[in-house]
Amino acid sequence: MSDAEFPGIGELMPHDGPMRLLSRVLGHSPESTRCELAVAASALFRDDAGAVPAWVALEWMAQCIAAHGGLVALAAGRKPPSGVLVGARSLAVTETTFGCSDNLTVSARFLGASGALVSFACEVEEQGRVVVQGVLSVFVVDER
């Protein structure tokens, strides 16, 4: 699929306004999704020096999971579901902050599910270098 074939981020998840942190979907398959983000969109989380703390990457990864869930649901003729981030494990972070001019990619790869609890291996990349990675678990709440 080309970029033009993917729905806008706003159609894939409930996040809106300053909480919509992803820019667009770059790639998708039934097993994984890759998105782009401009760190400047995370202005709500800037510290006093104007940088965005690395812990915000958890939200970037969770939103990539939401985009993935939205794409999978739309492909099946359903509405994108809502979900809640419930945990992260094996988290590795190599940066402490990100500059507002940074453009990053974030990916989520489906690992498995147990009922409404789903797990994804996620990564955040800066210029092809993995700077954050971990396994996130999300509880799918409902279909909107």
Side-chain angles (χ1 to χ4, degrees):
M1 271 189 179
S2 70
D3 294 348
E5 295 177 31
F6 295 116
I9 290 293
E11 296 176 54
L12 302 175
M13 62 181 149
H15 302 74
D16 203 6
M19 278 307 297
R20 187 180 302 154
L21 307 179
L22 303 181
S23 304
R24 64 189 176 118
V25 175
L26 296 173
H28 171 73
S29 74
E31 298 80 31
S32 65
T33 297
R34 189 164 195 237
C35 298
E36 179 181 64
L37 68 100
V39 175
S42 300
L44 184 64
F45 301 100
R46 283 190 197 144
D47 63 18
D48 292 338
V52 174
W55 58 262
V56 177
L58 286 169
E59 181 63 22
W60 296 333
M61 294 186 294
Q63 287 193 19
C64 188
I65 292 169
H68 178 81
L71 287 163
V72 169
L74 289 175
R78 300 186 320 266
K79 293 182 180 182
S82 295
V84 177
L85 176 65
V86 294
R89 65 181 196 274
S90 303
L91 193 62
V93 182
T94 62
E95 304 293 324
T96 56
T97 61
F98 295 99
C100 287
S101 63
D102 293 343
N103 288 308
L104 308 173
T105 58
V106 58
S107 61
R109 182 175 47 85
F110 178 74
L111 295 176
S114 178
L117 186 65
V118 294
S119 294
F120 287 82
C122 299
E123 293 182 341
V124 176
E125 294 180 27
E126 181 177 33
Q127 298 178 349
R129 183 175 61 94
V130 175
V131 292
V132 181
Q133 62 185 351
V135 176
L136 274 62
S137 297
V138 173
F139 184 82
V140 179
V141 178
D142 66 331
E143 291 188 14
R144 306 190 272 141

